[in-house]
Amino acid sequence: MAVSGVCPVFENVFKIGTSGKSSTSEQMKTIADLETFSVSLDNGIEEWNPMDMKGWKRRLMTAKALGITLNGKRNVGDNGNDYVAGFAFKTGQDAETKFEWTMPDGTKIEMDVIVNVTNIFGGDSTNVGALEVEVLSNGKPTVTEPTSSDLGG
């Protein structure tokens, strides 16, 4: 059941499709040992200055992209963590898979993604090896909003 009110960040759940873009729900695995994440929305906005607006600009949002940066520790032996780390040296369509983000309120975002591993095993000599990755939307995601019963209503 989804939570309501304020909630800790650890209530977010991230899953990666371990069979590429054809992954089924059974093949979606959580990624162990994630510590932080950040979300970026890249919005394409067309602007124009029609004469009938007397100098005021008009705008229309014409494009969107979603990126999520995940930072954590490299956990050898965890299905999700191993699968993500395996993208470190892949290119082209081999760098594509499915990704799922479930927010604490129950909102679920499912999307095809490009997996961009930016750090694997890096850090100071006394650190636990890092796993840092960006998942970048590749097409329109499916966003499923929670129902009022999911929110306890």
Side-chain angles (χ1 to χ4, degrees):
M1 181 163 145
V3 298
S4 61
V6 297
C7 58
V9 172
F10 67 74
E11 294 286 342
N12 289 276
V13 177
F14 301 100
K15 292 184 178 181
I16 193 91
T18 58
S19 289
K21 289 178 19 175
S22 63
S23 294
T24 64
S25 60
E26 294 82 30
Q27 294 162 323
M28 299 298 289
K29 303 294 181 191
T30 57
I31 306 164
D33 289 308
L34 294 178
E35 297 177 285
T36 65
F37 77 97
S38 61
V39 178
S40 64
L41 292 167
D42 183 11
N43 303 307
I45 299 174
E46 181 81 18
E47 299 180 343
W48 67 99
N49 299 299
M51 289 187 275
D52 62 331
M53 290 288 115
K54 308 290 185 208
W56 286 91
K57 192 173 295 273
R58 297 269 331 264
R59 294 184 173 106
L60 180 66
M61 189 168 305
T62 60
K64 283 210 160 289
L66 172 64
I68 303 172
T69 301
L70 303 159
N71 298 296
K73 303 300 183 195
R74 179 66 179 97
N75 184 331
V76 177
D78 173 74
N79 288 337
N81 196 296
D82 287 345
Y83 189 73
V84 169
F87 283 96
F89 303 103
K90 292 184 177 180
T91 60
Q93 292 182 354
D94 292 339
E96 298 178 11
T97 194
K98 289 202 175 297
F99 187 80
E100 185 179 289
W101 172 22
T102 305
M103 297 178 193
D105 69 354
T107 300
K108 183 185 252 185
I109 300 172
E110 299 168 284
M111 59 186 171
D112 291 337
V113 295
I114 303 295
V115 180
N116 180 26
V117 176
T118 58
N119 186 358
I120 183 170
F121 285 120
D124 292 335
S125 65
T126 58
N127 290 153
V128 174
L131 177 64
E132 298 173 1
V133 62
E134 296 175 307
V135 290
L136 305 167
S137 63
N138 190 13
K140 184 179 179 180
T142 300
V143 178
T144 306
E145 300 285 340
T147 64
S148 60
S149 63
D150 290 334
L151 298 173

